[in-house]
């Protein structure tokens, strides 16, 4: 994808905080340092991002913020503004989990942005500039069958001509591992999306949510369409996120006894930690400091003990190939 039209391939990425990052390509397959993409007004693009009051008191920042230690505590720096974080008025950060696809959605010769978020929504950010000087306008949600397009959270959109009719369709992965197709029943210049049809079903989960030892499909599907086997039909590459039991040697009797001892020590700590979390939700903001201090101390003790235990699971991101049937 050449976002800036300079003849070199660029890399475009979403992020957990929600900002979109561009790595501009150069000669010899080199890439510049990342930069956040801004719209034509100079505002950093993060759909759903910003600053708002936190439901539990304090401030909630949806986006990329950096924290700076001070004598009084810490300060969050977000979009050039400073927000002091104190026990009575904490600053908390979260993200919108953006995923982005750059494509000429409206057939006018430049790259637009299609962005998915953690709620499962998909937005179009139109390029109101040119192929060599992008200028992104206001984002608006895409629709399918006349209704806002939405999948079961963590939308991962990808545009491709899936049905071979010369215009772009939309393929969207979701948190439950599914992949949905939204066919373009309009045209290349005036896309109109039909209701979803299933390409890949959601992941089947056991009733006990057990962690498998073998590789299995996970959630958070991220999609790429390509003719993988060169047969003239588009295939699906689907990335995921899942857990798997690590391949560890059987513990010795001495190791097992030590593990049992640590589990016994952890049990009352975990119980107390849960009690403190419930208590924090019930207390007014001005009475939380002492409880929060104890909760943090217990958390650190539990972390130190868990570090001595073998891993119960490890995270994986697999890529699955789905070949198109004749």
């Amino acid at each position: 994808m050449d976002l800036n039209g300079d003849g070199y391939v660029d890399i475009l990425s979403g992020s957990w905080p929600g900002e979109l990052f561009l790595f501009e390509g150069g000669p010899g397959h080199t890439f510049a340092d990342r930069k956040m993409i801004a719209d034509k007004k100079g505002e950093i693009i993060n759909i759903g991002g910003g600053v708002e009051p936190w439901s539990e008191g304090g401030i909630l920042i949806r986006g990329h913020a950096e924290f700076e230690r001070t004598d009084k505590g810490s300060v969050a720096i977000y979009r050039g503004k400073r927000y002091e974080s104190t026990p009575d008025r904490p600053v908390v950060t979260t993200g919108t989990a953006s995923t982005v696809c750059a494509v000429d959605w409206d057939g006018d010769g430049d790259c637009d942005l299609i962005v998915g978020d953690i709620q499962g929504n998909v937005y179009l950010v139109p390029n109101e500039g040119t192929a060599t000087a992008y200028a992104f306008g206001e984002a608006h949600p895409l629709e399918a069958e006349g209704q806002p397009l939405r999948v079961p959270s963590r939308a991962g959109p990808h545009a491709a001509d899936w049905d071979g009719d010369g215009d772009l369709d939309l393929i969207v992965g979701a948190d439950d591992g599914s992949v949905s197709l939204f066919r373009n029943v309009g045209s290349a210049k005036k896309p109109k999306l039909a209701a979803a049809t299933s390409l890949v079903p959601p992941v089947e989960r056991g009733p006990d949510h057990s962690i498998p030892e073998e590789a299995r499909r996970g959630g958070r599907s991220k999609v790429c369409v390509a003719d993988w086997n060169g047969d003239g039909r588009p295939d699906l590459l689907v990335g995921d996120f899942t857990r798997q039991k690590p391949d560890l040697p059987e513990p010795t009797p001495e190791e097992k006894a030590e593990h049992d001892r640590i589990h016994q020590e952890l049990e009352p700590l975990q119980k107390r930690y849960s009690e403190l979390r419930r208590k924090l939700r019930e207390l007014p903001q001005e009475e939380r400091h002492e409880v929060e201090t104890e909760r943090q101390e217990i958390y650190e003790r539990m972390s130190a003990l868990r570090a001595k235990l073998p891993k119960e699971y490890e995270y994986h991101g697999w890529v699955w190939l789905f070949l198109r049937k004749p």
Side-chain angles (χ1 to χ4, degrees), residues 6-326:
D6 63 357
Y8 298 109
V9 174
D10 307 310
I11 295 176
L12 182 63
S13 175
S15 68
W16 161 246
E19 287 81 6
L20 310 179
F21 290 89
L22 175 65
F23 301 80
E24 292 184 340
H29 302 290
T30 58
F31 295 93
D33 289 341
R34 68 178 189 177
K35 68 176 183 180
M36 295 182 188
I37 298 178
D39 62 21
K40 65 181 184 180
K41 297 178 182 178
E43 297 291 332
I44 299 297
I45 298 174
N46 182 354
I47 300 170
V51 180
E52 62 189 71
W54 187 31
S55 60
E56 298 188 26
I59 296 173
L60 177 65
I61 297 176
R62 299 183 190 275
H64 177 73
E66 295 183 351
F67 281 84
E68 179 183 288
R69 288 287 181 184
T70 68
D71 294 339
K72 297 179 180 179
S74 62
V75 173
I77 304 170
Y78 177 71
R79 306 287 172 87
K81 294 184 178 180
R82 299 170 67 85
Y83 300 88
E84 185 178 352
S85 181
T86 66
D88 295 333
R89 192 170 179 267
V91 175
V92 180
T93 60
T94 187
T96 60
S98 63
T99 304
V100 62
C101 170
V103 68
D104 185 6
W105 184 246
D106 52 10
D108 64 353
D110 56 35
C111 282
D112 308 295
L113 303 178
I114 299 178
V115 182
D117 71 5
I118 197 169
Q119 302 296 330
N121 305 303
V122 180
Y123 298 85
L124 172 65
V125 186
N127 186 352
E128 298 174 359
T130 67
T132 55
Y134 59 78
F136 294 112
E138 186 175 348
H140 59 84
L142 287 176
E143 293 186 347
E145 205 68 26
Q147 300 295 322
L149 190 159
R150 193 168 189 178
V151 297
S153 78
R154 294 185 184 271
H158 181 84
D161 185 4
W162 182 257
D163 53 14
D165 63 355
D167 56 34
L168 291 173
D169 307 298
L170 194 65
I171 299 95
V172 185
D175 188 57
D176 62 1
S178 64
V179 178
S180 300
L181 167 66
F182 298 85
R183 287 188 62 246
N184 183 357
V185 294
S187 66
K189 291 185 178 294
K190 292 185 177 180
K192 181 180 178 182
L193 298 177
T197 57
S198 176
L199 295 181
V200 178
V203 174
E204 293 184 5
R205 302 187 187 276
D208 58 352
H209 296 282
S210 59
I211 302 171
E213 295 182 0
E214 72 281 2
R216 290 186 191 174
R217 275 205 309 125
R220 305 187 190 180
S221 294
K222 302 296 183 287
V223 183
C224 178
V225 174
D227 182 4
W228 184 258
N229 55 2
D231 64 355
R233 291 184 291 269
D235 306 303
L236 279 180
L237 291 164
V238 181
D240 70 4
F241 177 81
T242 188
R243 297 188 300 175
Q244 183 177 332
K245 287 183 179 179
D247 185 13
L248 298 175
E250 189 69 23
T252 65
E254 293 78 14
E255 289 172 335
K256 189 175 184 308
E258 176 63 10
H259 298 163
D260 290 341
R261 184 195 66 78
I262 293 173
H263 281 296
Q264 289 176 2
E265 190 174 346
L266 272 170
E267 187 174 346
L269 292 174
Q270 291 168 334
K271 182 178 179 181
R272 179 58 178 164
Y273 184 81
S274 297
E275 291 172 352
L276 292 171
R277 288 189 63 183
R278 287 194 296 270
K279 193 172 183 180
L280 279 170
R281 288 194 290 267
E282 299 167 357
L283 286 174
Q285 185 65 40
E286 60 272 12
E287 298 179 19
R288 292 181 180 181
H289 180 64
E290 186 176 339
V291 177
E292 175 59 32
T293 300
E294 183 184 355
R295 187 199 67 84
Q296 184 62 32
E297 291 174 352
I298 291 178
Y299 176 82
E300 291 173 359
R301 288 170 60 189
M302 291 194 304
S303 296
L305 288 169
R306 286 170 178 160
K308 300 177 182 179
L309 292 170
K311 289 183 179 179
E312 296 182 6
Y313 58 85
E314 55 191 10
Y315 292 109
H316 279 280
W318 306 110
V319 177
W320 303 85
L321 172 63
F322 295 84
L323 294 174
R324 188 77 171 268
K325 291 182 178 180

